[in-house]
């Protein structure tokens, strides 16, 4: 494959663009390879899918109902739709992926459920703002609040603590809301907190989690985990209608078995987090740059002068500035190497001296 270059003829460096630029890790790849031996029942009626569900129940140490879909947008929007009628509303952070990056899919699949946006520092919902939003009106003209949605780890690379999630759960209970957790980077949150997965999900009151595989090193696929099994009623039909029921399901589910059994899911997340932490530590030493949010998962948001960002781009570095709140977002993945972090730090140092 021909190497891609920028206008200055520099090879494009994609290492920190996004955690979905990375390939498939060996544990996920091997599991697909092993599942690729002959015939198996289709549409999830196979031994791998059954085992993957068992494995996820074991991980969360509870009974739960699990579905596998192709991507996070489907996982989130179908999960949200399963909890809402069209006249309901979903309260989420103003920078939540479900609001800013899913092209209206939650509204579409729920036939019009409205998103109610709340602010909050560091990408976490402010619970006073949540309470204000859901109590300021109770008349029939206001879309009835039904779900509180949080992202763990957040879009800004921060992580809700156990106590913060317990407070989210309490707020939801107080107002009879369901709790949805967008866990596209759930592994990074678990690795960051060093807790048992149950502590930041069902024990804190989460009803449904979308558990991300793709950014964790899978080829494709996310698991929708219903701790509140009543909410999973006819969810299989939702998946099918939305074009999210894989006929060769075993290739979506076999990797979950190996990733969880081998511990690779947590190792991958830890590697990504450690690289981000290293990047943050090193960049903090450079005069004139500002770390925008505490780096608690696998991203670092760095504010620097526009000309420094331009100089980095001229050197081939590819990164996003449109996600979150401006600045450059540098994202580490399971495949990020310490050397690559060092190379980026070196170029930021040079760019800041121009
Ligand atoms: C990546 C991501 C998703 C999933 O996005 P898809 O591209 O639909 O797989 C969901 N939520 C968050 C916070 C994400 O970063």
């Amino acid at each position: 494959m021909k190497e891609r270059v920028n206008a200055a003829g520099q090879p494009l460096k994609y290492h920190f663009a996004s955690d979905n630029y990375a390939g498939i890790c060996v544990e996920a790849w091997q599991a697909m390879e092993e599942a690729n031996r002959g015939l198996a029942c289709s549409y999830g009626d196979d031994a791998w899918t059954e085992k993957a569900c068992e494995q996820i129940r074991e991980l969360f140490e509870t009974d739960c109902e699990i579905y596998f879909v192709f991507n996070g947008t489907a996982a989130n929007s179908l999960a949200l739709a399963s909890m809402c009628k069209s006249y309901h509303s979903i309260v989420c952070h103003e920078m939540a992926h479900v609001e800013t990056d899913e092209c209206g899919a939650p509204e579409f699949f729920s036939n019009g459920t409205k998103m109610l946006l709340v602010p909050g520092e560091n990408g976490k919902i402010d619970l006073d703002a949540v309470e204000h939003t859901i109590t300021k009106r109770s008349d029939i003209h206001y879309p009835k609040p039904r779900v509180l949605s949080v992202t763990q780890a957040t879009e800004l690379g921060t992580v809700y603590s156990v106590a913060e999630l317990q407070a989210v759960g309490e707020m939801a209970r107080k107002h009879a809301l369901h709790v949805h957790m967008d866990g596209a980077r759930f592994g990074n949150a678990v690795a960051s907190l060093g807790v048992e997965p149950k502590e930041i999900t069902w024990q804190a009151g989460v009803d449904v989690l979308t558990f991300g595989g793709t950014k964790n090193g899978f080829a494709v696929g996310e698991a929708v985990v219903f701790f509140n099994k009543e909410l999973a009623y006819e969810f299989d039909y939702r998946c099918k209608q939305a074009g999210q029921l894989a006929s060769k399901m075993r290739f979506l589910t076999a990797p979950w078995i190996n990733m969880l059994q081998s511990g690779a899911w947590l190792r991958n997340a830890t590697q990504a987090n450690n690289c981000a932490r290293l990047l943050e530590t090193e960049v903090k030493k450079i005069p004139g740059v500002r770390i925008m949010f505490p780096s608690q998962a696998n991203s670092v948001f760095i504010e620097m002068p526009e000309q420094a960002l331009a100089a980095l781009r001229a050197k081939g570095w590819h990164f996003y500035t449109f996600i979150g709140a401006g600045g450059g977002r540098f994202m580490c993945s399971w495949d990020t190497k310490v050397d690559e972090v060092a190379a980026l730090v070196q170029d930021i140092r040079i760019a800041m001296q121009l």
Side-chain angles (χ1 to χ4, degrees):
M1 206 67 77
K2 203 161 151 273
E3 193 169 45
R4 296 172 73 183
V5 296
N6 67 9
Q10 292 292 319
L12 283 168
K13 303 187 187 90
Y14 292 119
H15 311 78
F16 300 93
S18 179
D19 34 2
N20 57 19
Y21 277 50
I24 307 165
C25 71
V26 67
E27 291 85 355
W29 184 258
Q30 268 174 0
M32 291 174 90
E33 211 276 327
E34 279 159 25
N36 192 28
R37 311 263 165 92
L39 310 176
C41 285
S42 54
Y43 297 111
D45 193 16
D46 62 85
W48 291 272
T49 302
E50 197 181 323
K51 178 75 184 153
C53 291
E54 262 173 46
Q55 202 72 46
I56 289 174
R57 285 185 201 108
E58 209 172 286
L59 179 73
F60 287 99
E61 303 176 69
T62 190
D63 193 21
C64 46
E65 207 164 311
I66 301 131
Y67 297 84
F68 299 90
V69 298
F70 292 107
N71 56 42
T73 299
N76 283 332
S77 41
L78 294 174
L80 289 168
S82 74
M83 294 186 269
C84 295
K85 296 228 187 323
S86 56
Y87 49 83
H88 284 144
S89 54
I90 297 158
V91 181
C92 68
H93 193 276
E94 57 196 1
M95 283 174 196
H97 196 274
V98 291
E99 160 65 13
T100 62
D101 289 278
E102 301 191 352
C103 200
E107 293 91 332
F108 177 76
F109 284 111
S110 58
N111 296 311
T113 302
K114 191 171 170 62
M115 311 295 290
L116 299 178
L117 310 181
V118 294
E121 267 183 41
N122 296 330
K124 301 181 194 177
I125 49 172
D126 179 303
L127 287 182
D128 291 335
V130 169
E131 188 150 50
H132 175 70
T133 299
I134 58 190
T135 56
K136 68 179 172 188
R137 293 267 298 267
S138 58
D139 58 270
I140 200 161
H141 307 284
Y142 193 62
K144 192 176 181 202
R146 182 67 170 165
V147 175
L148 193 47
S149 176
V150 292
T151 311
Q152 177 76 321
T154 74
E155 287 76 5
L156 301 184
T158 57
V159 172
Y160 285 90
S161 68
V162 174
E164 286 171 331
L165 286 173
Q166 284 167 347
V168 166
E170 263 164 46
M171 176 68 67
R173 252 190 316 280
K174 182 173 164 193
H175 296 286
L177 305 178
H178 293 307
V179 180
H180 161 257
M181 179 178 278
D182 175 351
R185 300 190 180 92
F186 185 72
N188 302 93
V190 172
S192 173
L193 292 168
V195 294
E196 296 301 328
K198 66 182 173 187
E199 293 176 74
I200 55 170
T201 53
W202 61 273
Q203 284 190 339
V206 173
D207 292 294
V208 53
L209 164 74
T210 61
F211 189 175
T214 309
K215 287 171 181 155
N216 189 246
F218 292 55
V220 59
E222 322 275 297
V224 184
V225 183
F226 286 94
F227 300 109
N228 180 344
K229 299 205 310 182
E230 280 169 25
L231 297 174
Y233 179 66
E234 295 183 343
F235 195 73
D236 45 352
Y237 286 90
R238 269 186 206 287
C239 290
K240 175 65 192 182
Q241 187 183 48
Q244 288 286 328
L245 177 63
S247 62
K248 292 190 181 178
M249 183 67 89
R250 64 182 143 146
F251 299 106
L252 249 60
T253 53
W256 282 95
I257 305 170
N258 203 23
M259 291 292 283
L260 296 183
Q261 268 182 353
S262 67
W265 75 289
L266 212 49
R267 274 199 301 280
N268 283 355
T270 303
Q271 170 69 15
N273 289 1
N274 287 350
C275 284
R277 214 70 75 254
L278 176 66
L279 176 59
E280 184 196 37
T281 307
E282 291 304 311
V283 163
K284 270 183 175 168
K285 298 176 188 165
I286 303 172
V289 300
R290 189 175 72 88
I291 302 294
M292 299 172 70
F293 315 105
S295 170
Q296 297 167 335
N298 58 324
S299 60
V300 187
F301 286 76
I302 307 176
E303 194 178 80
M304 46 191 144
E306 192 48 54
Q307 71 172 52
L309 293 171
L312 283 177
R313 286 198 190 92
K315 285 209 161 175
W317 293 106
H318 190 70
F319 51 89
Y320 292 168
T321 47
F322 66 88
I323 295 191
R329 184 192 75 163
F330 296 87
M331 199 90 215
C332 301
S333 76
W334 66 272
D335 199 23
T336 305
K337 316 264 186 321
V338 169
D339 291 357
E340 295 160 359
V341 175
L344 174 64
V345 170
Q346 172 69 3
D347 280 351
I348 292 177
R349 200 173 283 122
I350 294 168
M352 287 301 293
Q353 284 163 356
L354 293 178

